[in-house]
Amino acid sequence: MSERKRPPAVVVGVDGTPGARAALAWAVGAAARRRVQLRIVHGLGPEAVVGAVAVGRGTAGRGSAGEARASAHELLTESAEYARRARPDVEVITVLAVADAPAVLLEEARRGDVIAVGSRGLGSVRAIMLGSIGVRTSARAPCPVVVVPDAEPRGYRGRVVVGVDGSPSSRRALRFALEEALATDASVVLVHALGEDAPADDAATGDAVPDRRSEEVVDGVLADVVDERTGHLDISAVRVRADPVRALLDAGADADMVVVGSRGRGGVRGLVLGSVSQGVLHHAGIPVAVLPPGSDGADGRPPNR
């Protein structure tokens, strides 16, 4: 079987840092829930090729390319052993590549996969979503990116929160939230935030126009996305006049995951420039799934698994 036709997987980057270890722990559970392959990847970086700087276990120091490779192999071996001990039923593959970590993740990921990264500094997320030096400028994640915080894991809450605003990006987010709920036997809470400055009603008629429009947005995305596979799920909606970031964080305080979409135009740039996605990523204490534009099928339906 060629690599391009391999089965779906959860792809996680490791570098020995606490954030990467948290991402690995989440990825092991996610692969087991989804009954897919786990691919643990590590990028040596171009420095290792020339032996200028060896990066291993999250620290930088002088060393040869051979030392860097040995350290990387040890890290991957330990990570794979951890995964197999935790979930013997999961197929574990390790990948070592001579490239920056974001480039390796992008190269390994396929449509239908899930990428898991640590949240420390958000450097990897910026590179995955936007491209950077050493990463093809046109590269974007072809699948959902789950950002896992460097924090003690909480117990199972059985709740997935997703932000919706009627846009195609929020439909992608809802599809992923429903898939996560199917895999984890969780309920789904849709959050539509009108904004703190939204008027209470129409000044001329007194009608609660914003509330009615919010209801239409929520009903519209549900009608477009929910199907026979997900129609039985426990789905509810929260409509509030509040800042979208605060609304999602509040709703996600007792959840297992927050899911947000990222627009191909303003939303992806906004991940760095101060969008809702950025705000949630910076402040959430639970995993946050970001759905980039390329993470859905070309026809608007989920990619085949």
Side-chain angles (χ1 to χ4, degrees):
M1 178 184 299
S2 71
E3 284 298 295
R4 290 290 170 185
K5 294 182 180 180
R6 65 162 173 76
V10 175
V11 182
V12 58
V14 296
D15 61 8
T17 61
R21 286 193 288 271
L24 175 61
W26 183 91
V28 171
R33 291 191 300 270
R34 289 169 170 77
R35 299 179 182 178
V36 299
Q37 189 182 86
L38 175 67
R39 299 182 74 84
I40 306 174
V41 307
H42 178 74
L44 285 168
E47 297 90 349
V49 179
V50 297
V53 179
V55 180
R57 300 182 178 282
T59 61
R62 293 289 173 182
S64 68
E67 290 171 340
R69 285 182 176 276
S71 178
H73 278 297
E74 183 179 357
L75 173 63
L76 286 171
T77 298
E78 291 176 354
S79 299
E81 289 175 348
Y82 162 81
R84 292 181 178 118
R85 285 195 305 269
R87 293 304 302 251
D89 54 322
V90 173
E91 179 187 9
V92 179
I93 304 295
T94 60
V95 179
L96 177 62
V98 181
D100 290 325
V104 178
L105 287 167
L106 287 167
E107 179 63 26
E108 282 299 314
R110 310 283 185 268
R111 286 198 172 180
D113 288 352
V114 175
I115 293 175
V117 295
S119 64
R120 184 60 60 89
L122 296 183
S124 294
V125 178
R126 290 193 178 104
I128 290 169
M129 303 298 288
L130 301 175
S132 66
I133 297 174
V135 181
R136 295 185 302 274
T137 57
S138 61
R140 294 188 305 185
C143 61
V145 179
V146 177
V147 185
V148 183
D150 177 11
E152 287 295 322
R154 306 189 312 183
Y156 174 69
R157 307 299 178 93
R159 197 163 182 255
V160 177
V161 170
V162 56
V164 297
D165 61 6
S167 66
S169 65
S170 71
R171 285 173 169 79
R172 286 194 300 272
L174 178 56
R175 289 188 186 104
F176 181 80
L178 294 173
E179 291 293 331
E180 181 69 13
L182 284 174
T184 60
D185 193 26
S187 62
V188 178
V189 180
L190 282 68
V191 176
H192 183 228
L194 295 168
E196 296 174 313
D197 299 328
D201 51 40
D202 187 291
T205 66
D207 292 338
V209 174
D211 286 342
R212 187 169 66 250
R213 289 176 179 169
S214 178
E215 186 175 352
E216 290 172 354
V217 166
V218 171
D219 289 347
V221 295
L222 286 172
D224 286 346
V225 176
V226 175
D227 57 22
E228 65 277 2
R229 294 178 59 248
T230 56
H232 70 281
L233 292 172
D234 179 5
I235 303 173
S236 60
V238 174
R239 294 183 288 271
V240 293
R241 289 183 180 82
D243 171 72
V245 172
R246 176 47 52 195
L248 285 166
L249 292 173
D250 287 347
D254 194 34
D256 299 298
M257 175 182 286
V258 174
V259 186
V260 291
S262 184
R263 291 181 175 83
R265 184 179 66 255
V268 174
R269 290 179 56 83
L271 187 61
V272 170
L273 301 177
S275 71
V276 172
S277 301
Q278 167 107 1
V280 175
L281 284 169
H282 271 303
H283 298 291
I286 61 174
V288 176
V290 180
L291 275 291
S295 61
D296 220 345
D299 60 355
R301 300 303 301 170
N304 292 328
R305 287 188 171 271

